[in-house]
């Protein structure tokens, strides 16, 4: 039975207390229905971040937006909104900060003396193709800068809007400069609407894999997060579907609820799945040493216990059955010179 007191199209059902605020104010529940999404331009001095996490495979990332309209209750980026004075709850989904100067900052980064090119992940924190991108087109402009400078870029998104930019992705792919990772935690559309209320449908994501693959753009899929008791029965069906659509590789993670993600997720699952909320929470605890979160490098990716091991074994079977012989290409940095034209720089 589903709770009727749900804010539709929303992951978070309320704001949660900001860890850094001394005083907090939370509007009455009925006020949230009338709160509109707002966009605030901010002016960062840099757009490329060096990734220092030991268990992540990328060196750099860039995020054109802070906050995300997609509304996934389990999003690990929610606590970053607190550094801006907002809540990790509804504020994260409705108070979006926009970096319009990102393309100019990226161009300056490419022109830095001594920079050695390495693939940059777009986004890595909040989604670069969230609904705001239709209006601001910052991601599209960043991709054009990458094409102009022949710099490799990996895209990570939950949104089939990525197909809008095929005219830029195709020439990038012709030079082995781009890959797309689509996040697909479920192909059960009823569950998708609850887990990711403002992302593309499962059908449209699978179609995006087909179109990208047809255009020789390599596709990776993140089956993430796996939430025991919700989508943990789906991995083999997902892997079969994405392989048939043309995906060349996949990855997965187990859900972890660190810091203020925890109260957002707990409220969400109690609202959306009141009949099995405690079962799901207990299953997560069984993978996380009795807790809901995990911050230790490598451990946060794997989890432990019988439930975690069963999930890992399922993916091993799926890899052998549906991805045997498939290989994901490595992007090239060979054509990057730090200039738009093809000539090598005369001076370093």
């Amino acid at each position: 039975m589903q709770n009727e007191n749900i804010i539709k199209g929303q992951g978070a059902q309320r704001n949660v207390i900001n860890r850094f605020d001394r005083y907090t104010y939370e509007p009455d529940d009925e006020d949230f229905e009338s709160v509109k999404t707002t966009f605030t331009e901010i002016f960062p001095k840099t757009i490329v971040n060096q990734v220092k996490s030991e268990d992540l495979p990328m060196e750099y990332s860039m995020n054109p937006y802070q906050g995300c309209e997609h509304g996934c209750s389990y999003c690990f980026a929610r606590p970053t909104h607190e550094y801006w004075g907002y809540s990790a709850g509804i504020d994260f989904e409705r108070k979006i900060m926009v970096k319009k100067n990102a393309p100019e900052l990226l161009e300056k980064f490419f022109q830095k003396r001594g920079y050695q090119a390495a693939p940059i992940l777009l986004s890595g924190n909040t989604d670069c193709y969230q609904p705001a991108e239709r209006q601001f087109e910052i991601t599209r402009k960043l991709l054009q800068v990458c094409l102009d400078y022949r710099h490799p870029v990996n895209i990570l998104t939950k949104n089939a809007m990525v197909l809008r930019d095929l005219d830029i992705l195709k020439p990038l792919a012709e030079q082995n400069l781009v890959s797309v990772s689509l996040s697909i935690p479920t192909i059960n559309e009823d569950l998708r609407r609850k887990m990711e209320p403002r992302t593309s449908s499962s059908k449209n994501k699978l179609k995006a894999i087909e179109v990208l693959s047809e255009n020789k753009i390599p596709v990776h899929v993140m089956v993430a997060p796996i939430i025991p008791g919700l989508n943990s029965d789906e991995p083999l069906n997902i892997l079969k579907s994405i392989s048939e659509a043309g995906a060349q590789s996949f990855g997965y993670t187990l859900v972890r609820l660190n810091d203020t993600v925890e109260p957002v997720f707990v409220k969400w699952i109690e609202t959306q799945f009141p009949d099995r909320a405690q079962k799901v929470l207990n299953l997560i605890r069984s993978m996380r040493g009795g807790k809901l979160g995990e911050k230790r490098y490598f451990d946060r990716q794997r989890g432990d216990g019988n439930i975690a091991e069963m999930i890992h074994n399922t993916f091993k079977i799926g890899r052998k059955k549906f991805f045997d012989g498939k290989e994901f290409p490595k992007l090239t940095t060979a054509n990057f010179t730090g200039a738009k034209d093809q000539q090598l720089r005369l001076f370093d």
Side-chain angles (χ1 to χ4, degrees):
M1 180 179 178
Q2 183 173 298
N3 194 323
E4 295 180 358
N5 299 317
I6 295 175
I7 304 176
K8 295 181 180 178
Q10 196 79 44
Q13 295 297 303
R14 60 183 176 89
N15 271 328
V16 294
I17 295 174
N18 186 320
R19 296 169 293 163
F20 307 114
D21 281 354
R22 184 175 178 184
Y23 303 104
T24 60
Y25 165 72
E26 183 174 331
D28 294 334
D29 288 344
E30 59 266 21
D31 291 340
F32 286 129
E33 291 283 6
S34 61
V35 174
K36 302 295 184 182
T37 300
T38 61
F39 304 100
T40 302
E41 184 176 3
I42 59 174
F43 302 91
K45 295 181 179 180
T46 60
I47 190 62
V48 178
N49 311 299
Q50 187 173 9
V51 178
K52 298 181 179 180
S53 297
E54 299 173 13
D55 57 351
L56 295 178
M58 75 287 295
E59 290 185 48
Y60 298 103
S61 70
M62 56 183 172
N63 298 279
Y65 305 100
Q66 294 290 136
C68 186
E69 300 171 85
H70 279 156
C72 309
S73 64
Y74 43 78
C75 179
F76 67 87
R78 285 183 177 273
T80 64
H81 228 46
E82 297 174 299
Y83 293 103
W84 297 87
Y86 295 125
S87 169
I90 288 178
D91 282 353
F92 179 77
E93 302 173 40
R94 297 197 184 181
K95 296 183 185 296
I96 309 300
M97 285 164 283
V98 180
K99 305 174 186 178
K100 292 182 181 179
N101 65 339
E104 291 79 14
L105 292 174
L106 181 60
E107 191 161 5
K108 289 180 181 179
F109 180 80
F110 287 162
Q111 294 171 353
K112 286 174 62 176
R113 183 183 297 272
Y115 168 63
Q116 298 296 314
I120 297 176
L121 178 64
L122 177 66
S123 294
N125 196 27
T126 58
D127 203 304
C128 59
Y129 280 106
Q130 60 178 284
E133 172 63 14
R134 293 191 183 95
Q135 176 181 346
F136 297 104
E137 296 191 347
I138 302 173
T139 297
R140 179 176 175 81
K141 293 170 185 174
L142 289 170
L143 291 174
Q144 183 62 55
V145 174
C146 289
L147 178 58
D148 291 343
Y149 282 80
R150 302 168 303 284
H151 192 284
V153 59
N154 296 305
I155 300 167
L156 174 60
T157 183
K158 294 172 174 282
N159 205 310
M161 196 197 311
V162 65
L163 296 181
R164 179 201 65 186
D165 295 333
L166 273 176
D167 60 320
I168 302 177
L169 297 176
K170 288 168 68 175
L172 279 168
E174 287 169 2
Q175 301 178 65
N176 193 25
L177 292 172
V178 71
S179 70
V180 175
S181 293
L182 276 166
S183 176
I184 304 181
T186 179
I187 54 175
N188 177 330
E189 186 57 18
D190 289 337
L191 179 58
R192 198 279 310 167
R193 291 191 188 100
K194 295 174 182 177
M195 286 182 66
E196 314 175 312
R198 298 192 69 192
T199 64
S200 299
S201 68
S202 306
K203 179 180 179 181
N204 284 344
K205 289 183 187 180
L206 291 173
K207 182 62 178 177
I209 296 174
E210 292 180 7
V211 173
L212 291 166
S213 299
E214 288 168 359
N215 284 278
K216 297 181 171 54
I217 298 163
V219 182
H220 176 84
V221 171
M222 281 301 298
V223 187
I226 296 298
I227 305 173
L230 278 188
N231 65 342
S232 53
D233 61 337
E234 289 194 69
L236 291 180
N237 288 335
I238 294 174
L239 297 185
K240 181 176 186 293
S241 297
I242 64 175
S243 178
E244 291 175 349
Q248 292 170 270
S249 65
F250 72 89
Y252 68 98
T253 60
L254 306 182
V255 68
R256 61 183 188 275
L257 308 172
N258 292 336
D259 300 321
T260 37
V261 180
E262 179 178 328
V264 172
F265 180 88
V266 169
K267 180 66 175 179
W268 171 80
I269 199 163
E270 288 176 348
T271 303
Q272 293 283 1
F273 301 96
D275 56 334
R276 54 174 147 159
Q278 290 309 310
K279 176 184 177 181
V280 171
L281 293 173
N282 287 334
L283 287 170
I284 296 173
R285 291 187 182 100
S286 76
M287 301 191 304
R288 299 297 183 190
K291 301 176 294 182
L292 292 175
E294 177 59 79
K295 295 183 179 181
R296 292 174 298 175
Y297 291 135
F298 302 103
D299 290 336
R300 62 181 182 169
Q301 306 289 2
R302 283 196 55 83
D304 53 58
N306 293 335
I307 299 298
E309 195 61 33
M310 179 181 68
I311 293 170
H312 295 317
N313 288 336
T314 301
F315 276 103
K316 287 178 183 177
I317 293 169
R319 189 180 301 278
K320 185 174 181 179
K321 187 171 184 179
F322 302 116
F323 283 83
D324 189 39
K326 290 195 174 190
E327 187 174 348
F328 199 72
K330 183 178 180 180
L331 302 185
T332 184
T333 60
N335 297 322
F336 176 80
T337 66
K340 285 186 178 181
D341 58 56
Q342 289 285 4
Q343 290 184 340
L344 294 174
R345 287 178 292 186
L346 295 178
F347 304 100
D348 288 326

